[in-house]
Amino acid sequence: MTMRVPHKDETFSEDQNAAEYLARHEKGAGTQFKAFLKDFHQLNPEGHFLEIGPGPGFLTAKVAEKKPLAQITALEPSPEMIYFAEAYLQEKGVGDNVRFIQGSIEDREVVESLGRFDFIYSTFSLHHWANPELALRHLMGRLNQTGTLFIHDLKRVSWLYYLPLGNGLFESVRAAYTKVEIISMLMSMGIGEKEITFKNPFPYFWFSLLIKNA
């Protein structure tokens, strides 16, 4: 079994050129979010959305474009990322129905202040959370009675664990969780396997986790 190595988050310099930063991240956004957007299209959610960890806002903009009537709240710990995300959404013309809140998913008071949601989603954030079980509990507590939680993230796999991959992927794979670890977290919360939809979309070191509130 490969041991999990916690992720060291990328630091952001205030004097870094915003245009270069956005261009570098936008370049791989299409591939990065392809599997999520495919499932999102099939789920076809409506109502109030909560995005956890939007970063510079690429996925936020895609969701807002596809669901112009949805009200989207985006919870992001980095004020610098919120600055870029708000500017990016305004540039794309989809910022009117999106509000950004600075805070941590592990802060109960912050999360409870957000309200309740029909659809909660997060991409490539779970492996950053210091206490993912606590974070998942907070998210489940914010779902409406018929709401859906959708998590898309990397999975720790042995065949990538030792490869010195670029762009931070090596560190992220080593920081990710296995399917067994994730299912164990959920079962400790009282969520049974029958309530969980766990998929491994190509290229197979990603996973999609879907939980629908009863």
Side-chain angles (χ1 to χ4, degrees):
M1 164 93 53
T2 53
M3 182 180 296
R4 181 176 180 268
V5 180
H7 196 285
K8 293 182 179 179
D9 289 338
E10 177 184 11
T11 58
F12 183 83
S13 172
E14 291 184 1
D15 60 2
Q16 187 174 358
N17 185 280
E20 292 180 1
Y21 179 82
L22 289 169
R24 177 163 59 90
H25 284 74
E26 189 173 27
K27 184 178 180 180
T31 301
Q32 184 178 5
F33 299 126
K34 183 178 180 180
F36 171 88
L37 290 171
K38 179 181 178 181
D39 284 337
F40 179 81
H41 177 73
Q42 293 175 344
L43 289 169
N44 194 29
E46 303 288 351
H48 288 77
F49 297 175
L50 173 62
E51 180 177 3
I52 305 300
F58 300 119
L59 182 60
T60 317
K62 290 288 187 183
V63 170
E65 288 171 358
K66 291 178 179 296
K67 293 292 181 178
L69 298 181
Q71 297 293 321
I72 304 172
T73 298
L75 181 65
E76 168 60 48
S78 166
E80 291 85 3
M81 285 294 184
I82 292 177
Y83 171 80
F84 288 127
E86 289 179 333
Y88 183 76
L89 265 66
Q90 289 302 321
E91 177 187 332
K92 296 295 184 181
V94 293
D96 291 346
N97 294 337
V98 180
R99 64 166 180 157
F100 287 90
I101 304 294
Q102 183 187 351
S104 169
I105 182 58
E106 291 151 334
D107 187 326
R108 181 177 58 83
E109 291 186 6
V110 169
V111 175
E112 289 184 352
S113 72
L114 300 176
R116 291 189 177 274
F117 300 90
D118 303 296
F119 185 68
I120 299 177
Y121 64 101
S122 177
T123 58
F124 305 107
S125 292
L126 187 147
H127 67 277
H128 289 275
W129 300 340
N131 190 335
E133 183 176 328
L134 177 64
L136 289 168
R137 287 181 184 275
H138 287 170
L139 293 180
M140 290 299 297
R142 294 297 89 204
L143 282 178
N144 285 331
Q145 288 186 344
T146 57
T148 299
L149 172 64
F150 188 69
I151 304 289
H152 187 79
D153 201 4
L154 296 168
K155 185 176 65 172
R156 194 169 79 250
V157 291
S158 58
W159 51 277
L160 282 180
Y161 187 86
Y162 298 103
L163 296 181
L165 304 169
N167 299 321
L169 182 58
F170 174 62
E171 289 82 5
S172 294
V173 167
R174 288 161 65 91
Y177 294 90
T178 65
K179 178 179 179 179
V180 171
E181 290 168 342
I182 295 165
I183 297 297
S184 177
M185 290 180 206
L186 296 172
M187 293 184 70
S188 72
M189 296 164 54
I191 301 174
E193 288 193 63
K194 291 183 179 180
E195 302 172 67
I196 303 167
T197 301
F198 196 103
K199 300 196 302 183
N200 295 284
F202 182 82
Y204 309 124
F205 56 89
W206 295 348
F207 74 84
S208 294
L209 171 67
L210 182 69
I211 303 174
K212 291 190 175 183
N213 229 359

